[in-house]
Amino acid sequence: RYYGASQPFSTHAVENLKQLTSRHALADLALFLTFTNEKLVSDFGGDKRKVIVVGGSYPGAMAAWFKAKYPHIATAAWASSAVVNAVDDFDMFDYQMYNSTRRSSLY
Protein backbone atom coordinates (compact mmCIF):
# COMPACT_ATOMS: atom_id res chain seq x y z
CA ARG A 1 0.00 0.00 0.00
CA TYR A 2 2.77 2.48 0.81
CA TYR A 3 5.77 1.04 -1.02
CA GLY A 4 7.41 1.79 -4.34
CA ALA A 5 5.12 3.09 -7.09
CA SER A 6 2.04 2.59 -4.89
CA GLN A 7 3.10 5.44 -2.56
CA PRO A 8 0.08 7.78 -2.85
CA PHE A 9 1.73 10.82 -1.21
CA SER A 10 4.97 12.70 -1.62
CA THR A 11 5.77 12.50 2.12
CA HIS A 12 5.15 10.18 5.04
CA ALA A 13 3.60 12.93 7.16
CA VAL A 14 1.29 11.64 9.91
CA GLU A 15 -1.78 12.98 8.08
CA ASN A 16 -0.83 10.90 5.04
CA LEU A 17 -0.56 7.69 7.07
CA LYS A 18 -4.22 7.48 8.09
CA GLN A 19 -4.87 4.89 5.37
CA LEU A 20 -2.00 2.71 6.59
CA THR A 21 -3.96 0.56 9.05
CA SER A 22 -4.13 -3.12 9.88
CA ARG A 23 -7.65 -3.17 8.41
CA HIS A 24 -6.29 -1.93 5.07
CA ALA A 25 -3.38 -4.38 5.22
CA LEU A 26 -5.83 -7.25 5.71
CA ALA A 27 -7.93 -6.06 2.77
CA ASP A 28 -4.80 -5.78 0.59
CA LEU A 29 -3.83 -9.34 1.51
CA ALA A 30 -7.35 -10.59 0.75
CA LEU A 31 -7.20 -9.05 -2.73
CA PHE A 32 -3.70 -10.41 -3.35
CA LEU A 33 -4.58 -13.95 -2.25
CA THR A 34 -7.85 -13.97 -4.21
CA PHE A 35 -6.08 -12.76 -7.38
CA THR A 36 -3.24 -15.25 -6.94
CA ASN A 37 -5.58 -18.16 -6.32
CA GLU A 38 -7.72 -17.30 -9.36
CA LYS A 39 -4.57 -16.98 -11.49
CA LEU A 40 -3.31 -20.40 -10.34
CA VAL A 41 -6.65 -22.02 -11.20
CA SER A 42 -6.72 -20.23 -14.56
CA ASP A 43 -3.14 -21.13 -15.48
CA PHE A 44 -2.92 -24.66 -14.06
CA GLY A 45 -6.53 -25.79 -13.54
CA GLY A 46 -7.92 -27.66 -10.63
CA ASP A 47 -9.70 -26.33 -7.61
CA LYS A 48 -8.94 -23.23 -5.62
CA ARG A 49 -5.81 -23.74 -3.55
CA LYS A 50 -6.09 -23.85 0.21
CA VAL A 51 -4.41 -20.92 1.93
CA ILE A 52 -2.76 -20.96 5.35
CA VAL A 53 -1.67 -17.59 6.75
CA VAL A 54 1.30 -17.67 9.13
CA GLY A 55 2.96 -15.09 11.33
CA GLY A 56 4.75 -14.44 14.60
CA SER A 57 4.31 -11.49 16.93
CA TYR A 58 2.52 -8.65 15.08
CA PRO A 59 2.30 -10.64 11.81
CA GLY A 60 0.87 -13.46 13.94
CA ALA A 61 -1.89 -11.16 15.12
CA MET A 62 -2.47 -10.20 11.49
CA ALA A 63 -2.74 -13.90 10.57
CA ALA A 64 -5.32 -14.51 13.31
CA TRP A 65 -7.31 -11.40 12.36
CA PHE A 66 -7.16 -12.39 8.68
CA LYS A 67 -8.60 -15.84 9.37
CA ALA A 68 -11.36 -14.30 11.48
CA LYS A 69 -12.23 -11.62 8.92
CA TYR A 70 -11.75 -13.66 5.74
CA PRO A 71 -12.60 -17.30 6.59
CA HIS A 72 -13.64 -17.88 2.96
CA ILE A 73 -10.07 -17.13 1.83
CA ALA A 74 -7.88 -18.64 4.55
CA THR A 75 -8.36 -22.29 5.43
CA ALA A 76 -6.21 -21.93 8.54
CA ALA A 77 -3.98 -19.52 10.43
CA TRP A 78 -0.92 -20.16 12.54
CA ALA A 79 -0.35 -17.25 14.90
CA SER A 80 2.76 -17.62 17.04
CA SER A 81 3.22 -15.14 19.92
CA ALA A 82 0.35 -13.14 18.52
CA VAL A 83 -0.97 -10.32 20.68
CA VAL A 84 -4.60 -10.29 19.60
CA ASN A 85 -5.93 -8.60 22.74
CA ALA A 86 -3.60 -5.78 23.72
CA VAL A 87 -3.48 -4.71 27.37
CA ASP A 88 -2.90 -1.03 28.10
CA ASP A 89 -0.15 -0.24 30.64
CA PHE A 90 0.84 -3.89 31.07
CA ASP A 91 3.67 -3.62 33.58
CA MET A 92 3.78 -7.33 34.45
CA PHE A 93 6.04 -7.93 31.44
CA ASP A 94 8.66 -5.61 32.94
CA TYR A 95 8.25 -7.32 36.32
CA GLN A 96 8.75 -10.77 34.77
CA MET A 97 11.85 -9.60 32.87
CA TYR A 98 13.30 -8.10 36.05
CA ASN A 99 12.73 -11.29 38.06
CA SER A 100 14.14 -13.53 35.34
CA THR A 101 17.24 -11.38 34.94
CA ARG A 102 17.74 -11.17 38.68
CA ARG A 103 17.47 -14.94 39.11
CA SER A 104 19.86 -15.65 36.22
CA SER A 105 22.47 -13.27 37.65
CA LEU A 106 22.70 -15.40 40.79
CA TYR A 107 24.31 -18.26 38.85
Side-chain angles (χ1 to χ4, degrees), residues 1-3 12 16-25:
R1 180 169 291 258
Y2 276 69
Y3 307 98
H12 285 99
N16 294 339
L17 298 178
K18 65 184 174 187
Q19 300 298 317
L20 190 58
T21 66
S22 57
R23 182 174 292 131
H24 288 114

Side-chain angles (χ1 to χ4, degrees), residues 27-99:
D28 289 347
L29 182 57
L31 288 172
F32 171 77
L33 290 173
T34 300
F35 171 82
T36 302
N37 216 332
E38 289 172 356
K39 180 90 169 111
L40 287 169
V41 170
S42 171
D43 290 355
F44 302 105
D47 296 329
K48 280 178 34 178
R49 279 36 174 202
K50 293 184 179 184
V51 173
I52 300 173
V53 289
V54 177
S57 193
Y58 178 70
M62 295 289 287
W65 295 332
F66 187 87
K67 174 64 176 132
K69 187 161 180 64
Y70 299 98
H72 60 287
I73 297 175
T75 302
W78 178 19
S80 176
S81 299
V83 179
V84 293
N85 186 21
V87 177
D88 194 25
D89 293 327
F90 182 66
D91 60 356
M92 289 307 293
F93 176 79
D94 296 329
Y95 180 75
Q96 175 60 40
M97 293 303 293
Y98 168 77
N99 278 337

